Amino acid sequence: MTRVAIVTGGTRGIGEAISIALKNQGCTVIANYCGNDDKAKAFSISTGIATAKWDVGDHEACIDNCARIAAEHGSLDIVVNNAGVTRDGTLARMSFEDWNEVMRINLGGCFNMAKASFTGMRERGWGRIVNIGSINGQAGQYGQVNYAAAKSGIHGFTKALAQEGAKFGVTVNAIAPGYIDTDMVAAVPPAVLEKIVAKIPVGRLGHASEIARGVVFLCSDNAGFVTGSTMSINGGQHMY
Ligand code: NDP
């Protein structure tokens, strides 16, 4: 049976790799994005994957788009909550707007997408939700109280929702990536990045495809006994 999957932030970086990997598993994939139309168009042309533009921090937009996609494709079986942003700064410099925006998109997006998809998955007796957290939600990071709080919240959200889905064939898991070579990490100053890489035991940044392989496993039938877990994929940088 063809599974229907939405990957939020699915047109760039880690999300792009996840969209392609799920398509290669035979899923019908819809890659969501929010602002970068040129990249989304190029992605769609090169992969043949449909894109859909909305802000995952917008509750109504998530409800409406998931309902539309489920109606068009017959179901919505897999949601990968990958969309995320950073608005870094020490607490002293961080504005309330920067706090709110990161919470609204990174954590609020997971709530909005789950509200839009979880009931249908439970009714159909099969579903997969994978939330992309972060090593910085596990370990904290200087200058990221907003991002670390949102990502840490994702890990708690995952464990709580997993308990509501377990009896109904719906698993909810998280992946906590370490530092991956995407646009988000390219924004980190080179001197800071050098120090980060020096602390990664495998000696390099991760690749988006390495996160995508974890998502593919968690979305498979073989992972039916895995729920409420956080898979750390970080080159050994943080172990607990
Ligand atoms: P990128 O910045 O490369 O891509 C982010 C994606 O999210 C883009 O597709 C972007 O869309 C989309 N997006 C941003 N805001 C919204 C929104 N409000 N609604 C819908 N889509 C949105 O990020 P990465 O690939 O690096 O990161 C992906 C996820 O992995 C994030 O959650 C990030 O926090 C997490 N992560 C990344 C790590 C890394 O080292 N890269 C490490 C740990 C976690 P558009 O193209 O339209 O802007």
Side-chain angles (χ1 to χ4, degrees):
M1 182 208 299
T2 303
R3 307 283 191 199
V4 179
I6 295 178
V7 181
T8 70
T11 57
R12 276 202 290 133
I14 293 172
E16 176 175 14
I18 294 169
S19 296
I20 292 168
L22 288 175
K23 184 190 176 202
N24 289 343
Q25 293 300 308
C27 295
T28 297
V29 178
I30 295 88
N32 151 268
Y33 72 105
C34 187
N36 194 332
D37 295 316
D38 291 344
K39 173 62 193 168
K41 198 171 172 192
F43 162 86
S44 193
I45 290 168
S46 72
T47 62
I49 294 172
T51 61
K53 183 179 183 179
W54 78 89
D55 175 0
V56 296
D58 179 335
H59 185 74
E60 295 306 323
C62 290
I63 302 290
D64 291 350
N65 279 284
C66 288
R68 176 182 58 77
I69 288 164
E72 273 174 25
H73 297 278
S75 68
L76 173 52
D77 310 298
I78 295 170
V79 168
V80 183
N81 286 311
N82 164 80
V85 296
T86 51
R87 299 282 186 274
D88 295 352
T90 58
L91 182 69
R93 290 169 184 268
M94 188 176 290
S95 67
F96 181 63
E97 288 70 26
D98 286 344
W99 165 265
N100 254 356
E101 187 67 347
V102 168
M103 297 302 285
R104 187 183 74 82
I105 295 172
N106 295 19
L107 186 54
C110 292
F111 174 80
N112 295 337
M113 289 299 293
K115 281 290 280 186
S117 60
F118 189 69
T119 302
M121 291 176 185
R122 276 182 27 150
E123 284 170 2
R124 286 188 298 277
W126 197 95
R128 298 285 185 264
I129 296 179
V130 180
N131 301 314
I132 305 300
S134 170
I135 187 173
N136 293 348
Q138 298 171 308
Q141 178 60 273
Y142 185 92
Q144 284 197 326
V145 293
N146 50 2
Y147 185 81
K151 293 299 190 179
S152 185
I154 284 178
H155 299 308
F157 176 88
T158 297
K159 291 175 193 176
L161 190 60
Q163 295 178 35
E164 296 183 28
K167 280 197 176 65
F168 303 91
V170 182
T171 68
V172 186
N173 291 288
I175 290 184
Y179 285 82
I180 310 298
D181 57 358
T182 67
D183 293 346
M184 186 179 274
V185 164
V188 176
V192 177
L193 200 55
E194 207 173 298
K195 285 183 188 155
I196 290 170
V197 173
K199 287 185 187 153
I200 302 174
V202 303
R204 63 168 175 84
L205 296 175
H207 304 306
S209 59
E210 293 174 302
I211 305 303
R213 281 196 279 274
V215 174
V216 164
F217 169 67
L218 292 172
C219 292
S220 69
D221 284 321
N222 289 335
F225 202 57
V226 183
T227 195
S229 75
T230 295
M231 185 188 285
S232 295
I233 305 180
N234 62 31
Q237 190 179 353
H238 181 67
M239 305 177 189
Y240 85 118

